[in-house]
Amino acid sequence: MRNPFARCIVLAVVLLILLGVSWKSDRIENVGTKIIKATSTHNKESNIPQQPLGDGAQAGDLDIPPVSDHVMDCSVDANYMAQLKAKYELMDGFQYFKRYVKINRKPIARKSITKLDQEFLPGDVLKSIDLQNPNFGSEKCVEPLNVYVPESPYPATGNLSDFMFGVSTTFKRFSGEKTTPVNEWIYWLTDGKGHSNGGKLILLLLDATEEQITHARTVLRNAGIDVDVYHSDSTMEMAVRYLTLIPTLYNHPDRQNKKWLVSCDDDTFFPSVHTLVKKFEEYDHTQQLYIGVLSEDINNVDRHGSQAFGGAGVFLSVPLAEEITRDYETCKTDEKIKESNSGWGPQGDILLRKCIYENTDVRLSVLHGLYQLDLYGDPSGFYEAGIQPISLHHFKGGGWHSAMPWEYTKIAHICGEDCTLQRFQTADNFIISTGFSVVHYPLGVDFNLQQMERTFAAAPQDKGWNLDYVFDPQRPSLLKTGRKISWDLQEATVTPDNTVRQVYVRKANDWRWVDKNERPMSQVDGIVELVWIP
């Protein structure tokens, strides 16, 4: 057509047809596909720049042991005692003891238990604090405990550049005082100084507003976390939302620089970034690999199946994630969702396993050290076992156990990652589980410390041996026997002079610390404060 006007008419009609097709396609596109496509255009929708890495210690730098010019001071300050009393609701006349611990890093292997020839409480050193009639202020320090630890790397030099993590949660959990994962993410996704360690986080927030999306992204990026935040929709079946994480990660532009795509929960925690990286150096990321761990509870494996349980972390090589992305639509049909119902509703872990097993010959590779932690009750037997977990889960309470791994791991910043939960036994039958508890065994340590104490329970059907295939048979609990009493960590602080201050609390009315006749082992509350010096 030579007539310019006619050519314009034809061009306009073609454009209208294309727009109509595009509009119709967008209307019928399912929610999962929208989420997946959003990741490929994230740079266009985000106008908040990523925090620059700056000049701080970066992932891959040499580990430089911190030094401290701290001067030991054990004098009791009345204002500080009043703060502790109010914060932990301590009774009048509570006991207080401060002990310094000198860290000696050596080229040695990490031990489950290290025996010291020093006493923890040499003589009558527990100070009774009466704020109404103060009789303190010039206390002298006991000589520091000398502990020898491996020359393990520090969190500041962790490098997760090969990993991209996907988490789906609600804004309520993200922002809740007791459920927020921000502090935990800062530990294992940054160097602790406001800089990313190379790990990428993809966060899907369920039914969040634009304002909430922006708030979450701002909070995390200001903390140094390399994150992109997207909407998730409650109209999707929960199991499908879980499966959708995989193509969402695979289609993200940053995936081309990653080796491992990881699905985990908002309460999944990695205490040692270096250990995680070292473990995955043993795998060939160019192969199709599905890596994770079963639940510790054999009942849950029987109920849900033999598969990676997501809270411990599900690690997929990029080639396998590519296959799952191709099969995504056929893996989330109504029939598949129905088949993923274990009796507790459709399960995302099952849907993912079926997608892999029914479309490939790949089977689960179990990585021991990842922990789902399907435990109820007092978790101290686990955390006091001297183990070095690669991942932790279910520590936010709400029916599961309660723990504070973000506090426990602060010691790693000056001692190295191997120090977390490392045990030291003193000559007077105290055991320090570093970062978790200080325990006294008044009748002596006459049991096997290589066995885990069964202070916890499996649920909902605890047969007594549910956990044995992972934890090995556990020794009997010492709770309510009069043979054990514990001060539990409540807070830890990395100070500007490169020391770590830990506050451990024991309450007189704690149901655990009574003898067989229900008589309390102590009539007063107590505080043990440990100050670790590099």
Side-chain angles (χ1 to χ4, degrees):
M1 291 178 290
R2 297 182 179 180
N3 188 322
F5 179 74
R7 286 201 301 269
C8 288
I9 293 294
V10 172
L11 181 60
V13 170
V14 171
L15 286 173
L16 286 172
I17 292 172
L18 289 174
L19 285 172
V21 170
S22 175
W23 176 77
K24 180 179 179 182
S25 174
D26 185 65
R27 287 183 65 198
I28 65 175
E29 185 177 46
N30 65 57
V31 176
T33 306
K34 289 181 180 180
I35 294 173
I36 294 167
K37 285 189 174 181
T39 62
S40 63
T41 58
H42 75 291
N43 290 325
K44 297 178 182 178
E45 71 173 29
S46 174
N47 56 9
I48 300 176
Q50 169 64 33
Q51 188 94 348
L53 292 181
D55 299 322
Q58 302 301 318
D61 288 352
L62 293 176
D63 280 293
I64 302 175
V67 294
S68 177
D69 57 1
H70 183 85
V71 177
M72 293 197 306
D73 180 8
C74 294
S75 59
V76 178
D77 179 76
N79 289 331
Y80 180 49
M81 293 299 104
Q83 292 172 13
L84 291 177
K85 182 177 184 296
K87 185 171 185 178
Y88 298 111
E89 301 179 342
L90 304 175
M91 63 174 61
D92 293 332
F94 68 91
Q95 293 175 327
Y96 173 79
F97 175 55
K98 183 177 185 178
R99 190 75 190 264
Y100 281 87
V101 184
K102 181 66 176 77
I103 298 166
N104 299 278
R105 286 167 55 88
K106 300 291 182 181
I108 57 177
R110 184 186 192 273
K111 295 181 180 179
S112 171
I113 184 76
T114 299
K115 292 188 177 182
L116 309 179
D117 58 9
Q118 295 172 278
E119 293 185 343
F120 184 77
L121 286 180
D124 186 18
V125 293
L126 286 175
K127 190 73 176 179
S128 180
I129 305 299
D130 185 351
L131 295 174
Q132 301 304 317
N133 301 289
N135 60 341
F136 45 79
S138 57
E139 291 71 22
K140 302 298 183 182
C141 290
V142 178
E143 68 170 344
L145 286 173
N146 275 291
V147 299
Y148 292 87
V149 302
E151 294 175 331
S152 59
Y154 301 101
T157 58
N159 187 341
L160 286 178
S161 298
D162 289 339
F163 297 80
M164 182 186 294
F165 301 87
V167 175
S168 177
T169 188
T170 65
F171 184 78
K172 182 178 180 180
R173 280 185 61 86
F174 175 83
S175 57
E177 181 180 357
K178 295 183 178 180
T179 57
T180 179
V182 174
N183 285 332
E184 286 86 6
W185 288 348
I186 288 173
Y187 174 79
W188 59 267
L189 283 169
T190 79
D191 66 353
K193 303 173 184 177
H195 313 120
S196 170
N197 65 5
K200 180 77 178 185
L201 176 63
I202 304 302
L203 176 60
L204 301 185
L205 287 181
L206 187 65
D207 289 339
T209 66
E210 285 296 336
E211 182 180 0
Q212 291 169 338
I213 292 286
T214 300
H215 173 77
R217 182 169 53 221
T218 303
V219 166
L220 294 173
R221 289 187 175 181
N222 285 346
I225 296 172
D226 183 4
V227 64
D228 291 321
V229 187
Y230 304 109
H231 292 279
S232 187
D233 197 308
S234 60
T235 60
M236 296 175 68
E237 175 67 52
M238 183 179 66
V240 176
R241 289 200 305 269
Y242 179 86
L243 181 66
T244 300
L245 276 172
I246 307 309
T248 299
L249 294 172
Y250 180 78
N251 284 299
H252 193 282
D254 290 358
R255 182 263 306 160
Q256 60 185 342
N257 301 315
K258 305 298 180 181
K259 296 178 181 178
W260 304 102
L261 306 185
V262 188
S263 172
C264 54
D265 290 351
D266 63 4
D267 60 345
T268 302
F269 185 78
F270 299 101
S272 175
V273 167
H274 290 87
T275 300
L276 178 67
V277 171
K278 187 176 180 179
K279 289 291 184 180
F280 274 84
E281 289 175 351
E282 301 173 8
Y283 296 100
D284 183 355
H285 69 276
T286 66
Q287 302 297 312
Q288 290 189 346
L289 292 176
Y290 169 45
I291 301 170
V293 75
L294 308 176
S295 170
E296 300 82 16
D297 188 344
I298 195 68
N299 272 348
N300 287 341
V301 178
D302 181 56
R303 180 180 299 111
H304 300 298
S306 178
Q307 68 216 2
F309 279 66
V314 180
F315 297 78
L316 304 172
S317 62
V318 170
L320 181 58
E322 180 182 20
E323 178 69 35
I324 294 169
T325 300
R326 276 197 300 265
D327 299 327
Y328 173 72
E329 294 296 335
T330 60
C331 289
K332 66 180 186 70
T333 63
D334 290 343
E335 180 183 2
K336 297 302 179 185
I337 294 172
K338 183 178 180 180
E339 292 172 356
S340 73
N341 190 335
S342 63
W344 288 23
Q347 301 293 309
D349 292 337
I350 298 176
L351 200 63
L352 176 59
R353 181 246 299 163
K354 288 177 61 63
C355 189
I356 296 170
Y357 284 18
E358 294 176 2
N359 293 286
T360 74
D361 291 332
V362 177
R363 295 298 180 264
L364 176 66
S365 297
V366 173
L367 175 55
H368 297 290
L370 301 174
Y371 288 103
Q372 171 75 5
L373 291 185
D374 288 337
L375 306 178
Y376 290 73
D378 180 1
S380 59
F382 173 82
Y383 290 100
E384 292 171 353
I387 61 176
Q388 190 175 14
I390 302 172
S391 72
L392 301 168
H393 181 233
H394 277 161
F395 51 82
K396 295 282 188 179
W400 301 108
H401 78 277
S402 294
M404 300 180 292
W406 175 64
E407 299 284 356
Y408 307 158
T409 50
K410 287 182 181 179
I411 188 63
H413 291 291
I414 67 164
C415 190
E417 290 179 349
D418 284 4
C419 291
T420 301
L421 302 180
Q422 188 171 0
R423 295 184 297 178
F424 301 96
Q425 181 181 351
T426 64
D428 52 347
N429 296 316
F430 279 81
I431 294 181
I432 301 170
S433 293
T434 305
F436 182 79
S437 67
V438 176
V439 179
H440 185 216
Y441 299 93
L443 301 182
V445 180
D446 56 354
F447 43 83
N448 185 0
L449 286 173
Q450 300 304 321
Q451 288 183 319
M452 196 176 287
E453 181 187 358
R454 201 179 201 276
T455 60
F456 40 76
Q461 297 172 322
D462 189 355
K463 301 175 182 178
W465 48 262
N466 303 39
L467 311 169
D468 289 6
Y469 85 103
V470 172
F471 291 159
D472 294 338
Q474 303 99 63
R475 56 185 169 87
S477 171
L478 295 180
L479 306 185
K480 303 179 71 173
T481 65
R483 299 174 60 192
K484 173 183 180 180
I485 187 168
S486 174
W487 292 255
D488 300 328
L489 185 86
Q490 298 301 317
E491 63 174 289
T493 305
V494 183
T495 65
D497 63 1
N498 286 331
T499 61
V500 169
R501 181 181 66 88
Q502 298 172 330
V503 175
Y504 298 81
V505 178
R506 184 206 70 222
K507 302 299 285 288
N509 62 358
D510 192 316
W511 64 270
R512 299 172 297 170
W513 313 135
V514 297
D515 64 18
K516 292 182 178 180
N517 296 315
E518 297 289 329
R519 292 176 299 197
M521 296 177 67
S522 175
Q523 300 296 326
V524 295
D525 298 336
I527 293 274
V528 167
E529 183 172 350
L530 297 184
V531 180
W532 297 71
I533 309 174

